[in-house]
């Protein structure tokens, strides 16, 4: 670790000691100041998968039910609730029709997170809408 031909490489030593943290792709959303603080905090928790979804409550033995309250079909966990649940997909589709009609629906969230729009105000507005949508789902 950290040695090359007897020389210690600080960069490799640092990377060895630093805990591996997966990059959170929702992080850019949290930095948009236009987003209401309550929504920003929610997205921050969501990005870290720290929301009290049914699967987490069940692990904490707070509830015995882990089904999604929105569709009642699958286990309520972060990925299901925000990306796979039929109800949240319908909500995203409605928002998509309203403000992102030029993009394929399945690429809506990914596109917003990659910040490809040249129009800064439009990007911020989309971030505000996405954060409000996620919070209200
Ligand atoms: Zn569901």
């Amino acid at each position: 670790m950290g040695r090359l031909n007897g020389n210690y490489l600080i960069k490799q030593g640092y990377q060895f000691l630093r805990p591996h943290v997966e990059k959170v792709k929702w992080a850019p959303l949290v930095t948009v100041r236009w987003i209401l603080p309550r929504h920003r905090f929610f997205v921050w928790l969501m990005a870290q998968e720290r929301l009290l979804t049914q699967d987490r409550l069940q692990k904490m033995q707070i509830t015995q039910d882990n089904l999604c309250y929105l569709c009642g079909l699958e286990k309520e966990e972060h990925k299901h609730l925000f990306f796979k649940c039929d109800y949240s997909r319908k909500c995203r589709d409605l928002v998509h029709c309203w403000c992102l009609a030029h993009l394929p629906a399945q690429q809506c969230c990914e596109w917003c997170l990659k910040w490809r729009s040249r129009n800064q105000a439009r990007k911020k507005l989309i971030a505000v809408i996405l954060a409000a949508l996620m919070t209200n789902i």
Side-chain angles (χ1 to χ4, degrees):
M1 169 210 72
R3 287 185 178 261
L4 184 63
N5 299 330
N7 295 325
Y8 179 78
L9 297 175
I10 292 172
K11 181 180 177 184
Q12 289 180 356
Y14 174 75
Q15 288 174 345
F16 177 79
L17 294 172
R18 189 181 71 164
H20 176 71
V21 178
E22 192 172 320
K23 191 173 181 181
V24 178
K25 59 184 181 179
W26 290 91
L29 214 54
V30 179
T31 61
V32 177
R33 291 178 185 244
W34 289 11
I35 297 175
L36 292 174
R38 183 173 74 89
H39 294 173
R40 204 176 322 156
F41 181 66
F42 183 89
V43 171
W44 180 72
L45 289 175
M46 183 186 133
Q48 299 175 64
E49 297 191 7
R50 298 295 304 261
L51 294 170
L52 292 177
T53 51
Q54 290 294 327
D55 66 321
R56 291 193 69 217
L57 292 172
Q58 189 183 38
K59 285 179 188 168
M60 294 178 204
Q61 298 181 343
I62 293 174
T63 182
Q64 295 182 342
D65 183 22
N66 69 358
L67 280 180
C68 172
Y69 278 130
L70 298 176
C71 68
L73 299 173
E74 293 188 36
K75 184 167 81 172
E76 185 187 281
E77 55 188 7
H78 281 81
K79 284 181 184 162
H80 170 77
L81 194 58
F82 298 107
F83 302 104
K84 294 181 179 176
C85 181
D86 198 41
Y87 181 85
S88 65
R89 185 188 55 75
K90 287 176 183 170
C91 292
R92 280 197 322 272
D93 286 350
L94 288 172
V95 169
H96 178 263
C97 289
W98 179 52
C99 66
L100 296 166
H102 66 291
L103 293 170
Q106 69 273 16
Q107 294 176 8
C108 170
C109 290
E110 291 86 357
W111 178 85
C112 292
L113 296 172
K114 286 178 184 172
W115 303 104
R116 286 188 178 155
S117 173
R118 291 182 183 170
N119 185 333
Q120 291 292 319
R122 183 177 171 84
K123 287 193 298 190
K124 289 177 182 176
L125 184 61
I126 291 168
V128 168
I129 293 167
L130 268 181
L133 176 67
M134 296 303 177
T135 304
N136 286 295
I137 284 176

